[in-house]
């Protein structure tokens, strides 16, 4: 059993704690030590049976053999927190629910979270620190760059590229051979039928950019 801490102590972090429990039911792998969070009001609390240990000063005191995983949905915040953990020399766990379907040709980076009920077909590349919520489908030759977040029931067709730091909202659909630019947001239920530029928020059917933003990139 390897020690593990979850960076973040919100709702998604509690879901990831449950994911760890379900992984361990299939084959014991992880000793979940607790959560790390920058919100001082959460320090000392117990969330679903696991303590909030403190901020990154508490993380630094843990042995270097302790793995971390960042359970934060917002990609910009996720990248910032991962960089802080990297600066402390932490190594990152990849958590994949035992009840997903994926082929042997799928490559998965470090710090990735893949929840129950997902289907990943063939020759797919998943970058580092990607979060995939339950019920997502990802088609052949898709590429998801680092720090992406896929909300519940996102459908990605074949030969798609989702750029770094993108968020795809619940039940969003991306059609064949589309590129979604870096740090863009696709709204819930949107259908992406053509390439989207970087740093935009796109909504609707078909999805169209409604605004542009400049998230801080660490």
């Amino acid at each position: 059993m390897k020690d593990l801490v979850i960076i973040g102590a919100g709702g998604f972090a509690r879901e990831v704690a449950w994911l760890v429990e379900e992984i361990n039911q299939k084959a014991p792998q992880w000793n979940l030590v607790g959560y790390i969070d920058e919100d001082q009001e959460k320090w000392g609390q117990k969330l679903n049976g696991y303590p909030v240990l403190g901020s990154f000063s508490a993380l630094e005191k843990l042995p270097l053999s302790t793995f971390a995983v960042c359970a934060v949905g917002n990609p910009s915040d996720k990248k910032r927190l991962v960089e802080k953990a990297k600066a402390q020399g932490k190594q990152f766990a990849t958590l994949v629910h035992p009840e997903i379907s994926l082929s042997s040709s799928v490559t998965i980076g470090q710090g990735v979270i893949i929840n129950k009920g997902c289907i990943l077909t063939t020759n797919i590349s998943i970058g580092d620190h990607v979060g995939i919520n339950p019920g997502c489908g990802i088609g052949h030759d898709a590429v998801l760059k680092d720090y992406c977040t896929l909300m519940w029931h996102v459908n990605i067709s074949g030969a798609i590229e989702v750029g770094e730091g993108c968020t795809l909202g619940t039940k969003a659909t991306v059609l064949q051979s589309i590129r979604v630019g870096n740090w863009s947001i696709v709204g819930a239920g949107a259908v992406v039928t053509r390439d989207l530029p970087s740093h935009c928020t796109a909504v609707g059917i078909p999805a169209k950019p409604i605004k542009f933003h400049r998230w801080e990139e660490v």
Side-chain angles (χ1 to χ4, degrees):
M1 297 277 282
K2 294 169 285 191
D3 287 345
L4 173 69
V5 291
I6 296 173
I7 299 173
F12 185 43
R14 286 182 277 116
E15 291 178 338
V16 170
W18 180 41
L19 169 60
V20 171
E21 292 172 350
E22 295 219 316
I23 290 171
N24 284 340
Q25 286 176 10
K26 188 76 173 181
Q29 297 181 46
W30 301 107
N31 173 41
L32 183 52
V33 177
Y35 308 91
I36 296 295
D37 198 275
E38 295 179 310
D39 184 353
Q40 188 171 352
E41 292 186 0
K42 295 181 178 179
W43 299 354
Q45 293 184 22
K46 274 203 167 183
L47 303 177
N48 295 6
Y50 304 101
V52 181
L53 303 171
S55 189
F56 279 81
S57 58
L59 181 63
E60 191 170 20
K61 293 174 184 176
L62 296 173
L64 280 177
S65 59
T66 303
F67 285 77
V69 66
C70 189
V72 174
N74 180 286
S76 182
D77 290 338
K78 178 163 52 176
K79 185 173 183 180
R80 178 179 61 84
L81 295 170
V82 165
E83 291 299 326
K84 289 182 73 170
K86 283 182 179 179
Q88 294 183 2
K90 298 303 179 188
Q91 53 190 333
F92 295 93
T94 291
L95 304 178
V96 178
H97 196 284
E99 295 179 19
I100 72 163
S101 296
L102 80 166
S103 74
S104 60
S105 60
V106 176
T107 61
I108 300 174
Q110 64 175 342
V112 171
I113 298 166
I114 306 179
N115 278 285
K116 188 173 184 176
C118 295
I119 300 174
L120 292 79
T121 64
T122 59
N123 303 98
I124 293 165
S125 175
I126 307 294
D128 295 339
H129 308 289
V130 172
I132 302 176
N133 277 278
C136 292
I138 302 175
H140 64 86
D141 300 295
V143 176
L144 275 64
K145 299 292 186 69
D146 299 348
Y147 301 107
C148 291
T149 296
L150 275 58
M151 300 301 186
W152 286 60
H153 299 292
V154 168
N155 289 301
I156 293 177
S157 300
I160 299 301
E161 180 178 306
V162 180
E164 180 178 275
C166 289
T167 299
L168 276 59
T170 299
K171 293 189 176 179
T173 298
V174 185
L175 299 186
Q176 183 91 6
S177 303
I178 298 294
R179 184 182 186 278
V180 180
N182 297 335
W183 299 95
S184 283
I185 301 169
V186 176
V191 179
V192 183
T193 61
R194 62 182 63 183
D195 290 357
L196 292 176
S198 297
H199 297 280
C200 78
T201 296
V203 300
I205 303 174
K208 296 179 181 179
I210 58 169
K211 65 179 179 180
F212 288 84
H213 48 78
R214 181 65 60 177
W215 288 355
E216 181 180 357
E217 298 177 30
V218 178

